[in-house]
Amino acid sequence: MEKKIAQISDIHFGEKNFSSQLKDNLLNQLAEENPDLIIVSGDLTTEGYAHEYEQASEFVEDLRAITNTYIIPGNHDARNVGLIHFEKEIGRRKFVHIDKTGGFAIVGMDSSEPDINDGQIGTDQLDWLRNQMEKLPDDLCKIVTFHHHLLPIPQTGRERNILLDSGDLMKLFVECGVDFVLNGHKHVPNVWMMEKMVTLNSGTATTRKLRGTTFPSHNQLLIRDEDIMVNLINTETGDKKEMANYSVKVEEEEYVICSYKHLMHSK
């Protein structure tokens, strides 16, 4: 059985580089791809203002008309007491989604801190996450999403605002057997593999606030019985490129990533 997950991030309503054309492209691409699930990894807005959230809310309604959609906040969403609007217009700031037929579970958290770019999960959410992870069957692919990048991203300049408690979070991920971590924040797509755990970053889907030769994009995960494929989709053109591939299996009732291939890093 194949399940399709769309990972998008950094929409940034209110940003001067936001593109309505890219937004329309994205919605059309998602409708055509018809994913089983959409994950928005933060930064719907730019300054967290009410009028930005009004636009974001209409966009989220369009996403939810396509399929089941979950959104977690980013640092821009938390500006100017914006999380009040997030909870009113968008919904809860963390979630748990379990798909036993698809063989995966996704846990979403809020890594934002008011009015600063730095991120943090915090002890309360760490405890909550451990509790949620302990409830999940070992034979499921365990996916966690939050906005800030867990590891430094190449070609993004000086590292300034990685998660303040990334060490504690990574320790918990290893202990709980997390398989995939989905992030945004830096506007640059990237994939790392560490301790049999994949960290997958999404670029900005709807703005031209781009670094180097990157382009507006979002990620697509195809979760199947024996492998997981990750595609990078250009929001401008609709072009799709395989980004990574992982062979997987359930061994002694535990989900295992057996081998991997990262194509976006190959020359």
Side-chain angles (χ1 to χ4, degrees), residues 84-117:
I84 290 178
H85 303 304
F86 185 97
E87 292 178 343
K88 177 183 177 183
E89 299 287 347
I90 309 302
R92 294 180 298 170
R93 289 153 50 192
K94 56 187 179 183
F95 70 87
V96 179
H97 175 87
I98 300 174
D99 187 331
K100 291 186 177 180
T101 61
F104 68 90
I106 302 183
V107 180
M109 297 186 295
D110 177 10
S111 63
S112 68
E113 291 282 295
D115 296 313
I116 60 173
N117 290 328

Side-chain angles (χ1 to χ4, degrees), residues 222-240:
L222 303 178
I223 299 180
R224 299 178 285 225
D225 293 336
E226 296 183 354
D227 76 324
I228 295 179
M229 179 186 291
V230 180
N231 291 318
L232 179 66
I233 301 177
N234 187 323
T235 315
E236 186 97 59
T237 65
D239 292 342
K240 183 187 300 184

Side-chain angles (χ1 to χ4, degrees), residues 30-234:
L30 291 171
E32 183 176 346
E33 293 290 344
N34 191 29
D36 298 284
L37 193 67
I38 296 173
I39 301 296
V40 184
S41 299
D43 278 1
L44 281 171
T45 69
T46 301
E47 297 294 340
Y49 293 137
H51 69 275
E52 295 176 346
Y53 271 108
E54 290 173 4
Q55 294 174 296
S57 178
E58 293 178 5
F59 173 71
V60 170
E61 286 182 11
D62 290 335
L63 295 179
R64 288 174 172 160
I66 295 171
T67 193
N68 194 9
T69 300
Y70 291 98
I71 305 103
I72 41 93
N75 56 301
H76 284 266
D77 298 320
R79 291 180 177 178
N80 300 301
V81 202
L83 294 181
I84 290 178
H85 303 304
F86 185 97
E87 292 178 343
K88 177 183 177 183
E89 299 287 347
I90 309 302
R92 294 180 298 170
R93 289 153 50 192
K94 56 187 179 183
F95 70 87
V96 179
H97 175 87
I98 300 174
D99 187 331
K100 291 186 177 180
T101 61
F104 68 90
I106 302 183
V107 180
M109 297 186 295
D110 177 10
S111 63
S112 68
E113 291 282 295
D115 296 313
I116 60 173
N117 290 328
D118 293 327
Q120 179 169 242
I121 297 299
T123 55
D124 288 346
Q125 277 196 114
L126 285 171
D127 290 342
W128 176 83
L129 175 62
R130 182 182 294 277
N131 181 262
Q132 298 302 319
M133 298 303 293
E134 288 175 348
K135 296 176 184 178
L136 298 177
D138 291 334
D139 61 352
L140 294 182
C141 176
K142 300 177 181 65
I143 304 171
V144 177
T145 184
F146 47 91
H147 180 64
H148 289 78
H149 52 300
L150 183 64
L151 298 169
I153 308 300
Q155 300 180 15
T156 61
R158 178 180 294 179
E159 182 52 64
R160 293 174 296 178
N161 45 48
I162 201 167
L163 278 176
L164 298 178
D165 50 359
S166 60
D168 293 326
L169 190 58
M170 287 190 67
K171 181 175 183 291
L172 178 57
F173 286 166
V174 172
E175 291 172 352
C176 294
V178 172
D179 301 293
F180 281 78
V181 180
L182 310 183
N183 305 126
H185 190 49
K186 278 289 194 175
H187 294 204
V188 174
N190 189 68
V191 60
W192 289 129
M193 183 80 171
M194 176 178 283
E195 293 287 343
K196 296 184 178 181
M197 180 182 72
V198 180
T199 63
L200 179 62
N201 285 76
S202 174
T204 173
T206 55
T207 83
R208 303 191 191 280
K209 192 176 180 180
L210 304 163
R211 289 178 166 89
T213 58
T214 56
F215 48 81
S217 65
H218 60 285
N219 298 335
Q220 178 191 72
L221 289 80
L222 303 178
I223 299 180
R224 299 178 285 225
D225 293 336
E226 296 183 354
D227 76 324
I228 295 179
M229 179 186 291
V230 180
N231 291 318
L232 179 66
I233 301 177
N234 187 323

Side-chain angles (χ1 to χ4, degrees), residues 238-257:
D239 292 342
K240 183 187 300 184
K241 178 182 179 181
E242 186 176 349
M243 188 176 180
N245 193 288
Y246 306 88
S247 62
V248 301
K249 66 179 179 180
V250 176
E251 187 175 60
E252 296 181 356
E253 299 185 356
E254 183 176 355
Y255 191 91
V256 178
I257 297 176

